Amino acid sequence: MLVNLLDFDADGLNAWFAQQGEKPFRARQVLRWMHQRGESDFSAMTDIAKSLREKLTALATVSPAPTLSDRLSDDGTRKFLFDVGNGNAIETVFIPEDDRGTLCVSSQAGCALECAFCSTGRQGFNRNLTTAEIIGQLWQANRALGPGAKPDGERLISNVVMMGMGEPLANFDNLVPALRLMLDDNAYGLSRRRVTVSTSGIVPAMDRLAEACPVALAVSLHAPTDGLRDRLVPINRKYPLAELMAACRRYLVHAPRDFITFEYVMLDGVNDADADARALLHLVRDLPCKFNLIPFNPFPDSGYRRSPQERVRRFAGILVDAGIVTTTRKTRGDDIAAACGQLAGQVKDKRKPNASRTSRKVQFAMELR
Ligand code: SAH
Ligand code: SF4
């Protein structure tokens, strides 16, 4: 079996090169070829000795998950579907804005956490993605997007958010090397604050992330009380709000000048009352944080409705009046089912083997292939 070098961060690659009797600076050269130049063919790595290139070709590959489809939304959002084998596919979304380009990356094929309002959760869970499959999304998107419009060829992807399919902190061991590659100057060189992990609140893994790689943290809050959160985000039954808030405070000890971003999906008549906003103020008092309100993005049979705009505005107003920076997320790419919570890819649920629930749009994209 060939070794996929996209599975290694810098330390991992050094260790593998050492096993082959090769020097660390060779590993660094190969890291740069792979991630900075998007090269997958060892024979094209021209500043490396021919004998080493031949050795690498015999032992290793650079293999991201292959692209199944690549679609452009009317608003410029671009959605990629990647084949991760055995009938499973994952989605990655590029969101261009005036001052940045954000890539929304998946961490699992499906998700086991079953939040009530999330289409990925509805799809069920198949497996964790490997490091190569996680970083491969960035690799593929960089290559597809090409060099930036700016004269110095600056890359179009300036920010990464782990907000695609899956719960990143439930795939900790494969996630961390991918995050390290995003930050590594010999790979993608993104600053720590431009890489965000979004979690539904897996408390022990939040502590481990703070130690291993304290990137920006977003926490999917969605409810101000345990009673409601138990229903909307079932992992709350295991890690209730008091523990979650304590974990947020501990996280900031490792990332002192940072803040936690709380994501809050606005569900009509469920969690969007003035009283809910006031309860949130109480919950997060003294915690450096921002709020990002996400208008609910519907999907078939979700059973929820998006809060009216005026309701979202009033809710945001209560938080803002209390001095909390609050943004409302613009819905992007929903014409191609690329908006938050609409990513479904294609997942064969391991726990319900006969239920492959491919979304109609994805099936269509795959038929077009
Ligand atoms: N599993 C992680 C990251 C992926 S989801 C998490 O839950 O944080 C990214 C964000 O989209 C989360 O805040 C999630 O709660 C939210 N989301 C899920 N379904 C949604 C929907 N239908 N409409 C709007 N936001 C949704
Ligand atoms: Fe999983 Fe996040 Fe969706 Fe919940 S919101 S089911 S944790 S992907």
Side-chain angles (χ1 to χ4, degrees):
M1 252 287 264
L2 298 177
V3 174
N4 188 354
L5 298 191
L6 290 183
D7 267 321
F8 296 128
D9 62 9
D11 287 351
L13 199 63
N14 280 343
W16 187 81
F17 268 62
Q19 273 172 18
Q20 316 308 321
E22 299 292 341
K23 299 245 167 18
F25 84 95
R26 292 287 177 212
R28 193 164 57 240
Q29 276 179 308
V30 170
L31 197 71
R32 287 197 182 141
W33 273 106
M34 290 193 295
H35 295 290
Q36 294 190 335
R37 306 178 68 161
E39 187 53 71
S40 56
D41 178 359
F42 296 116
S43 66
M45 301 183 180
T46 44
D47 57 358
I48 293 170
K50 191 149 181 272
S51 57
L52 176 55
R53 283 188 260 159
E54 283 167 3
K55 187 167 161 186
L56 289 172
T57 307
L59 295 174
T61 67
V62 180
S63 302
T67 308
L68 287 173
S69 74
D70 172 353
R71 302 180 64 197
L72 193 61
S73 153
D74 294 340
D75 66 15
T77 303
R78 191 157 165 183
K79 183 166 85 166
F80 302 92
L81 183 71
F82 298 115
D83 183 356
V84 292
N86 294 324
N88 291 294
I90 52 157
E91 294 181 328
T92 308
V93 181
F94 176 68
I95 307 143
E97 287 172 285
D98 292 343
D99 58 341
R100 71 184 101 172
T102 303
L103 194 71
C104 179
V105 169
S106 294
S107 56
Q108 300 182 305
C111 184
L113 298 187
E114 301 188 323
C115 299
F117 48 81
C118 172
S119 119
T120 304
R122 282 283 179 88
Q123 291 271 311
F125 176 67
N126 187 273
R127 67 171 174 85
N128 282 330
L129 299 184
T130 62
T131 297
E133 287 164 339
I134 298 172
I135 204 66
Q137 297 169 62
L138 187 47
W139 193 96
Q140 290 276 38
N142 252 325
R143 193 136 120 160
L145 293 163
K150 297 188 183 151
D152 58 0
E154 193 183 313
R155 285 195 177 147
L156 289 174
I157 299 169
S158 61
N159 295 57
V160 173
V161 294
M162 297 301 307
M163 294 185 186
M165 297 166 65
E167 165 52 51
L169 293 188
N171 184 14
F172 190 87
D173 292 345
N174 297 339
L175 172 73
V176 167
L179 295 176
R180 290 192 173 134
L181 285 168
M182 293 171 199
L183 305 187
D184 196 321
D185 282 337
N186 291 309
Y188 299 92
L190 300 176
S191 78
R192 199 177 60 76
R193 287 193 177 81
R194 287 176 175 269
V195 175
T196 302
V197 168
S198 174
T199 181
S200 54
I202 304 192
V203 164
M206 290 165 66
D207 288 323
R208 290 176 67 200
L209 185 68
E211 296 281 347
C213 195
V215 293
L217 189 68
V219 173
S220 294
L221 197 54
H222 307 321
T225 59
D226 281 320
L228 182 56
R229 196 164 190 270
D230 281 353
R231 259 201 303 135
L232 295 178
V233 186
I235 192 76
N236 193 68
R237 296 173 203 157
K238 197 161 175 193
Y239 306 113
L241 283 170
E243 284 182 37
L244 180 59
M245 292 301 132
C248 290
R249 282 177 213 284
R250 289 195 298 276
Y251 196 88
L252 292 180
V253 172
H254 290 264
R257 280 170 294 114
D258 284 16
F259 49 84
I260 303 287
T261 300
F262 288 115
E263 295 164 277
Y264 197 95
V265 62
M266 297 296 290
L267 303 167
D268 185 21
V270 175
N271 65 354
D272 63 351
D274 289 355
D276 294 319
R278 285 193 293 269
L280 285 177
L281 293 178
H282 183 68
L283 185 69
V284 305
R285 64 190 180 284
D286 307 330
L287 182 71
C289 66
K290 290 185 181 175
F291 267 81
N292 190 215
L293 306 180
I294 317 174
F296 171 67
N297 292 308
F299 54 91
D301 306 320
S302 72
Y304 292 99
R305 286 181 315 266
R306 179 181 290 185
S307 305
Q309 240 175 350
E310 178 54 21
R311 184 89 294 278
V312 178
R313 215 184 49 74
R314 283 209 35 167
F315 195 94
I318 294 172
L319 301 177
V320 169
D321 287 347
I324 298 181
V325 174
T326 303
T327 50
T328 301
R329 195 173 292 175
K330 266 211 294 265
T331 297
R332 300 283 304 258
D334 60 351
D335 57 332
I336 55 167
C340 301
Q342 291 183 327
L343 300 187
Q346 182 186 13
V347 176
K348 294 208 161 149
D349 192 331
K350 272 200 165 161
R351 302 159 310 175
K352 306 169 220 156
N354 295 325
S356 170
R357 292 187 252 168
T358 312
S359 73
R360 276 215 331 274
K361 282 184 175 166
V362 168
Q363 242 166 13
F364 181 62
M366 295 181 61
E367 281 160 13
L368 282 182
R369 255 192 309 149

